[in-house]
Every structure is written in C-alpha cells, then in structure tokens.
Amino acid sequence: MEKIMSPKNDHIKLAKKLTVKKYQKDYDCYLLEGPHLVHEALKAGVEPDVIYITDKYENDRELRPFYNKLVLVSEDVAEHLSATPTPQGMFAVLPLPHNELPKPLSGSFLLLDGIQDPGNVGTLVRTADAAGVGTVVLGKQTADAFSPKVLRAMQGSQFHINVVSGDLIKLTGQLQRAGIPVYGTELNDRAKSYGAIAKTDRFALIMGNEGNGLRPELLAKTDVNVYIPMRGRAESLNVGVAAGVVLFHLLG
C-alpha cells in the first residue's frame, strides 16, 4: 500500500483543493471526509479515485474491495486534509455526480431558494431523503452541495436522493405544465394551513431564504402557499424543521 507522510505531497495538495468549488469544477471531483460518508458512497456504487486512510483503518472490511485505491497517510496529512478540528482519518476523492431532473418530470420535489446556511442545506436534503422525496433542487444563492459543511450535514443522503441545481423560476413553470402543483411557504391572506393540503406523491415544495423567505417573483408563481399554525409562542421554525413538518404530511 502506498504511503504519504507529508502534507506537502502533490497529491495531498490537490486533494485539499478539492474542497473548493472552483477546483471541484476544474477536476470534476471532490473530497469527502469521514468513514460514515465514505462507506455510504461505496455502498451507493460510487467508484473512488483514491481513498486516504490513517493506520486505524488499514483493516476496515468495507474498504477491502478497494485495496488498490487505498493510500495510507500520516496523522499530519489527515489534519491537513480535514475540515474539522478532529480529523476522522478517512477521505475519498470522488467524481462529481452529474444528476439531472427526471424526464418526464414526475414525483416529489423540494426546491431550495437562497438557503445560505450549509447546515440548513444539508439538513433539508437529509430530511427530504427521510420523507421519501425524489429530487432536491438547489436554486439561486443556495449553499453549494459539495462544500465540506454541506456534505457533513447531508450525512450521506446525497447518495440516496437526486440532488441537482437549477433555475427555480423556469422549473416552476415546467412542473406546473407537467401537472405537478407547486407549494410556496409564506403566511399571507390566501395561504392555507399545511394540514388542509391533501396527501400526495406529486408536488413541489419551495423553501425560502432563512431571513427573507421566497423571492417575490418566485412566490408569485406558486399554486398555493402553505403555513404551519404555531400553537406556542415561538415566532418561527428553523427552515429544516418546517420543511420536515410539511413533507412528512404530504408524503405520509
């Protein structure tokens, strides 16, 4: 097994760059950190370019089929590659997926409009996965799906669910023409309680920016706006929690 003991190694320098969107696009791959996430990728059939491990993972059974892709690294290298204060000791360089919208458009969709917090984006993808949503679409000014923080928050759900980027205004019209209702999330005079919406497996739900909500031009295109009645005194819910409430209702 090849060994790399220095963070100054050219392969390690490149792997570190693959946490940055520009280099991910240039090289068409990204760096994934952590044994749980790497194992999820391998279970999903993703073919790694290389897997960097510290010595504690030399006998990892799940890595045995990929022995020719394993490279042993020092703790110093792991610290250099890690995006967290405590390195987990396993990293994989994986090809960027080139997911597309289903053709023809069908099923359930979660659309994210300007969700900027990486933790929220990851939580929303994970929640959509748990609820049984088919596709998550990351719209304008939404945090990138392959940033280290989003990858950690998704907890491997990106390997179970179709995650794509797209123009939400254009997509909203396409969904409606395909007979798929588009639900916005805003409290206004015409909004309906989420409980009044019939359960269905054909819909699109749009969640908006944490502070500003949906863009007005996108909100104007929705079929129905829904809200969650608040029984307590809290002014609002976290966007991930709110999405979970509505998604589990619709797909329940």
Side-chain angles (χ1 to χ4, degrees):
M1 186 186 301
E2 182 184 353
K3 297 181 180 179
I4 297 178
M5 300 292 110
S6 171
K8 295 181 180 180
N9 178 279
D10 287 342
H11 295 291
I12 300 304
K13 289 180 179 178
L14 173 58
K16 183 67 174 180
K17 288 181 178 180
L18 296 177
T19 61
V20 179
K21 187 174 183 178
K22 175 187 182 303
Y23 294 107
Q24 290 172 347
K25 286 189 172 182
D26 288 346
Y27 291 95
D28 201 32
C29 51
Y30 69 102
L31 186 69
L32 187 67
E33 177 179 359
H36 170 68
L37 299 184
V38 173
H39 289 158
E40 286 296 307
L42 300 180
K43 288 176 187 175
V46 180
E47 186 67 27
D49 291 346
V50 61
I51 301 173
Y52 296 110
I53 57 170
T54 55
D55 55 12
K56 67 180 178 180
Y57 293 111
E58 280 191 89
N59 297 315
D60 187 313
R61 291 183 179 182
E62 295 188 52
L63 299 182
R64 287 179 183 175
F66 304 92
Y67 184 82
N68 64 327
K69 300 291 183 73
L70 298 181
V71 174
L72 189 66
V73 299
S74 67
E75 292 295 338
D76 285 346
V77 171
E79 288 181 10
H80 178 71
L81 289 177
S82 181
T84 65
T86 306
Q88 298 183 59
M90 187 183 295
F91 309 82
V93 175
L94 304 177
L96 277 176
H98 297 284
N99 298 337
E100 296 181 350
L101 292 165
K103 296 178 181 178
L105 290 172
S106 61
S108 54
F109 299 79
L110 176 63
L111 280 49
L112 308 186
D113 182 43
I115 307 292
Q116 297 176 337
D117 182 87
N120 283 338
V121 173
T123 297
L124 284 156
V125 172
R126 190 177 179 187
T127 300
D129 177 21
V133 171
T135 299
V136 178
V137 185
L138 279 58
K140 186 177 180 181
Q141 296 183 344
T142 293
D144 182 66
F146 298 97
S147 73
K149 289 182 179 179
V150 174
L151 289 169
R152 284 200 303 275
M154 288 192 292
Q155 283 294 298
S157 281
Q158 71 271 28
F159 302 119
H160 313 151
I161 188 172
N162 189 29
V163 180
V164 303
S165 296
D167 181 332
L168 299 191
I169 291 179
K170 179 180 178 181
L171 177 58
T172 295
Q174 293 173 331
L175 289 164
Q176 290 165 329
R177 287 191 292 274
I180 297 173
V182 179
Y183 301 126
T185 45
E186 183 183 79
L187 178 59
N188 57 42
D189 292 341
R190 297 183 303 279
K192 296 182 179 180
S193 168
Y194 77 96
I197 306 298
K199 298 180 186 299
T200 177
D201 58 3
R202 281 176 56 85
F203 68 88
L205 175 68
I206 313 177
M207 302 304 298
N209 175 269
E210 293 91 339
N212 300 319
L214 297 184
R215 286 174 286 157
E217 61 269 35
L218 185 56
L219 191 62
K221 289 184 172 293
T222 59
D223 294 296
V224 179
N225 292 321
V226 301
Y227 69 94
I228 300 172
M230 309 287 273
R231 295 192 180 94
R233 298 173 63 184
E235 291 183 0
S236 63
L237 290 173
N238 169 273
V239 65
V241 173
V245 170
V246 180
L247 291 175
F248 275 91
H249 165 73
L250 291 172
L251 289 163

